[in-house]
Every structure is written in C-alpha cells, then in structure tokens.
C-alpha cells in the first residue's frame, strides 16, 4: 500500500514538474523586460505575428523545442535624434567668385527629430530582415533621420526664393512634403528646426 502511495506521489511530482516546465518555457512574456517589446522568431514558423509585451500573458508552444526560438528585444521608447545638415548649392564657389562680394551659397540646418516605431512597424522591419537587435534599430533610425533632415533642407532651400523667413515650422513642412508617406516603417512624431541659414537663391540663379 505504501509503495503504491509513494509511486503515485512520485508520478504526481513528475507530472507537476513537467507541467511547470511547459508553462514557464512556453510563457514568452516572462522573457521581456518592462519598457521593451519582444519579437518571437522561430526556425519552424519564422516571425510570430504578435508583438510580445511585459505584463501581457503570451504562451507559445514553439518555445518548447530546444534551439527553435529567439526573442528579439527592442526599446518601446520614442527616439529623439539631433541632425545637422551643412551643404552648398551646386558649383557654389564658382558662382560666388563671379558675383560682387562673393556671397555665401551654403545652407545650414539643425533639427530635432522625434520618431517612433510602432509594434506593427517593428514586426514588419524584422520580417524584412532589416533588424535583429537594438543596435540595428538605432542605426536604422539614425539613417532615416538623416534622410528626413536632408529632404527638408532641400525643400526649404528650393522654396525660399524671394522669401524672408525667420522661423520654419518643421511639422508643417512634414505635412507639405508628405514625408510620412515615404517612411511607412516608422512614425514621425515631430520635427523642430532649431537653426537655419538659407542662401540667396535668387542671387544664385
């Protein structure tokens, strides 16, 4: 009788331990820290369709297979990137030498750009193979910010002919250019033009 009880107890303990292991191993949300998103990638199914958040229960059987899954962690914070654009109009030195006073045909801008990558955008970037870790996300954001700043600078210079503007509304320019349409994999929250120097385009032309 005692042997039967002991055997039943051992089986109960083993089953409980197995159940606990299955629960913990498959609960992906336990692996994600607060302030971060997790993207589950498995060898059997690729990128999981749902973002993983700390505090939201998420269990996946793919995690039970040893070596099958990887969780890519990304910060959920918005990115504030400062960018400086300093360039010259084409053949600026030649034009300047031909005009009295040798006017300066360089342009200079300083921007603060706030960008956010939403969960759906993050999943899209991982699926396309553009991101595998936080460093790659930072580099991607930095590169995109540079392109946004350059697009805005060229627009301001080209549209400044015959105008004297002391302050530029970065968010308005974003709307006018429809820049967001060109960057579907991130959300542009705001752009501030901190400093600007625009050459005399009419004199140059």
């Amino acid at each position: 009788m005692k042997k039967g009880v002991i055997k039943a107890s051992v089986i109960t303990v083993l089953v409980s331990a197995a159940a606990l292991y299955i629960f913990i191993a498959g609960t992906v949300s336990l692996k994600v820290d607060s302030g971060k998103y997790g993207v589950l990638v498995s060898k059997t199914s690729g990128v999981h369709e749902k973002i993983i958040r700390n505090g939201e229960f998420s269990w996946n059987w793919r995690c039970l297979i040893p070596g099958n899954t990887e969780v890519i962690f990304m910060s959920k914070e918005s990115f504030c990137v400062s960018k400086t654009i300093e360039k010259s109009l084409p053949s600026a030195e030649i034009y300047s030498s031909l005009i009295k006073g040798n006017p300066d045909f360089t342009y200079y801008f300083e921007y603060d750009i706030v960008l956010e990558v939403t969960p759906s955008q993050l999943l899209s970037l991982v699926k396309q193979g553009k991101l595998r870790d936080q460093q790659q996300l930072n580099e991607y954001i930095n590169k995109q910010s540079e392109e946004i700043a350059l697009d805005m600078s060229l627009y301001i210079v080209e549209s400044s002919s015959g105008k004297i503007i002391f302050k530029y509304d970065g968010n308005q320019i974003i709307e006018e250019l429809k820049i967001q349409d060109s960057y579907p994999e991130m959300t542009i929250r705001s752009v501030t033009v901190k400093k600007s120097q625009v050459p005399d385009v009419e004199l140059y032309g």
Side-chain angles (χ1 to χ4, degrees):
M1 182 69 177
K2 290 183 178 181
K3 288 184 178 180
V5 172
I6 294 174
K7 183 178 181 181
S9 299
V10 170
I11 292 173
T12 300
V13 170
L14 291 175
V15 170
S16 298
L20 182 61
Y21 167 78
I22 290 172
F23 175 79
I24 294 176
T27 305
V28 195
S29 52
L30 293 175
K31 304 175 183 179
V32 181
D33 294 334
S34 177
K36 291 187 177 181
Y37 289 129
V39 180
L40 179 65
V41 183
S42 70
K43 295 176 181 177
T44 52
S45 306
V47 179
H48 189 50
E49 291 294 333
K50 187 177 179 181
I51 208 80
I52 305 166
R53 295 176 172 87
N54 180 277
E56 290 185 10
F57 180 74
S58 178
W59 188 91
N60 197 299
W61 64 267
R62 297 167 183 82
C63 297
L64 302 179
I65 304 173
N68 182 49
T69 59
E70 173 192 5
V71 179
I72 298 174
F73 302 102
M74 304 285 182
S75 172
K76 10 160 106 165
E77 300 296 326
S78 297
F79 297 82
C80 183
V81 185
S82 296
K83 284 294 170 185
T84 297
I85 300 294
E86 185 173 13
K87 292 182 178 295
S88 299
L89 296 175
S91 304
E93 291 185 5
I94 296 175
Y95 279 96
S96 179
S97 66
L98 298 174
I99 301 173
K100 185 178 179 180
N102 303 118
D104 184 5
F105 291 124
T106 61
Y107 52 91
Y108 178 90
F109 296 94
E110 290 183 12
Y111 300 94
D112 277 343
I113 303 172
V114 179
L115 302 173
E116 180 184 352
V117 179
T118 65
S120 60
Q121 291 168 330
L122 182 57
L123 284 173
S124 176
L125 288 167
V126 174
K127 283 181 180 179
Q128 294 176 59
K130 293 182 179 180
L131 301 180
R132 294 298 294 180
D133 54 36
Q134 184 67 44
Q135 182 178 345
Q136 289 185 346
L137 176 58
N138 294 343
E139 292 171 353
Y140 181 80
I141 289 291
N142 187 61
K143 181 181 177 182
Q144 300 296 82
S145 299
E146 185 81 22
E147 293 179 6
I148 291 170
L150 183 56
D151 288 344
M152 290 185 63
S153 299
L154 293 174
Y155 174 79
I156 292 173
V157 171
E158 291 171 359
S159 61
S160 66
S161 180
K163 300 177 184 177
I164 298 177
I165 302 175
F166 296 100
K167 187 175 181 180
Y168 295 94
D169 187 334
N171 295 322
Q172 182 180 337
I173 295 171
I174 289 291
E175 291 295 325
E176 291 173 0
L177 277 175
K178 300 187 183 302
I179 286 183
Q180 181 63 74
D181 295 343
S182 301
Y183 299 89
E185 290 159 352
M186 62 181 56
T187 301
I188 304 172
R189 291 301 180 196
S190 67
V191 178
T192 303
V193 184
K194 295 167 60 181
K195 290 185 181 180
S196 62
Q197 175 187 314
V198 181
D200 190 331
V201 179
E202 284 193 329
L203 185 63
Y204 171 82

